[in-house]
Amino acid sequence: MLPPFEAILFDYDGTLAVLNLDFAAMRRHLHAFTVAQGISPQELDGLDILEMLAWATEWLRLHFPEQADPYAREAEQLIQDMEVEAARSSGLLPGVPELLTTLRQEQIGVGIVTRNCDAAVRVTFPHIDTYCRAFIPRDRATQVKPHPAHLQAALDCLGMTPERAMMVGDGAMDMQAGKALGMFSIGVLSGTTPRAKLLAHGADLVLASVADLLQYVGAQSRTV
């Protein structure tokens, strides 16, 4: 049983699309590029890809300010090139077109919030603007998941409050961001995060895939 809802925010990779990104390889490439700027490898321990980019940019701004902006541009381009290349061998997961079509017919607001870039998402989903009223990729977000501001930006575009919307994603960050806003949060097992971790980070419900949401879509199911 779901609470009444008028909008759904979705993660993208692993939730709506096949997860083809090799995050380990991407981190290795960015790590090597960052260390080449004169930053100690030990300073980068424990940082994910986007945290590394942000931390290194600020470090360079303090110590070698002339290198900061060129580093940020080249590092972002390195990440984006890998994302777009991965997207070329990706695609929407089974049941996603049917779900999004049904949501549009039911006039349920759809938002996509992703740490991926705009260009890569549009490779696999060129018609995104037809189905999605709010699309906030990394390059349009002031702060990205797990920061709740990423989700709030999409809610603002939809004209929705957190209480009227749900968050759906395959990762712990999705659940963290959703729960930070008090949203009903649904984890899906189509990515790489196990059920126990999704629940531990706040999932109210765990489904095998987003296609399973079809059983909850419809005027009657939304108001039960």
Side-chain angles (χ1 to χ4, degrees):
M1 187 75 68
L2 302 184
F5 63 94
E6 298 175 52
I8 303 178
L9 302 186
F10 293 99
D11 169 55
Y12 191 68
D13 294 286
T15 301
L16 297 180
V18 177
L19 182 60
N20 272 355
L21 278 168
D22 187 339
F23 291 108
M26 186 183 291
R27 190 184 187 283
R28 285 197 302 273
H29 284 292
L30 180 62
H31 187 276
F33 179 66
T34 303
V35 169
Q37 310 304 309
I39 295 175
S40 167
Q42 287 73 34
E43 297 282 6
L44 307 176
D45 287 349
L47 299 179
D48 69 26
I49 293 163
L50 298 184
E51 289 171 341
M52 188 187 306
L53 191 160
W55 187 92
T57 300
E58 289 309 307
W59 188 92
L60 288 170
R61 213 176 294 284
L62 285 173
H63 299 278
F64 303 101
E66 71 284 354
Q67 291 180 223
D69 288 342
Y71 164 81
R73 285 194 300 271
E74 292 181 48
E76 176 61 38
Q77 191 63 54
L78 182 155
I79 294 169
Q80 181 171 312
D81 287 348
M82 294 188 71
E83 289 171 332
V84 171
E85 183 60 32
R88 293 194 177 103
S89 59
S90 182
L92 296 180
L93 286 161
V96 169
E98 294 82 358
L99 173 63
L100 295 179
T101 297
T102 301
L103 292 174
R104 185 172 61 174
Q105 291 169 345
E106 292 288 334
Q107 298 184 331
I108 298 171
V110 171
I112 292 177
V113 285
T114 176
R115 287 162 61 101
N116 206 332
C117 68
D118 182 286
V121 173
R122 291 184 187 277
V123 168
T124 52
F125 195 5
H127 306 300
I128 187 171
D129 295 322
T130 300
Y131 294 93
C132 182
R133 284 169 42 202
F135 173 39
I136 315 291
R138 175 182 73 249
D139 30 8
R140 284 198 225 155
T142 54
Q143 293 171 295
V144 295
K145 298 178 293 183
H147 199 289
H150 197 170
L151 276 60
Q152 187 63 58
L155 292 173
D156 291 344
C157 286
L158 294 171
M160 293 287 171
T161 62
E163 295 77 20
R164 297 161 62 197
M166 299 189 302
M167 177 63 202
V168 180
D170 71 308
M173 287 183 180
D174 303 313
M175 302 302 99
Q176 288 176 271
K179 298 318 290 183
L181 290 178
M183 298 174 69
F184 189 89
S185 299
I186 300 176
V188 291
L189 300 174
S190 45
T192 59
T193 308
R195 177 186 300 270
K197 187 170 182 178
L198 291 169
L199 290 169
H201 284 82
D204 297 293
L205 175 68
V206 177
L207 302 174
S209 73
V210 292
D212 292 336
L213 281 171
L214 277 167
Q215 65 186 300
Y216 299 105
V217 176
Q220 183 175 351
S221 64
R222 293 205 309 279
T223 56
V224 171

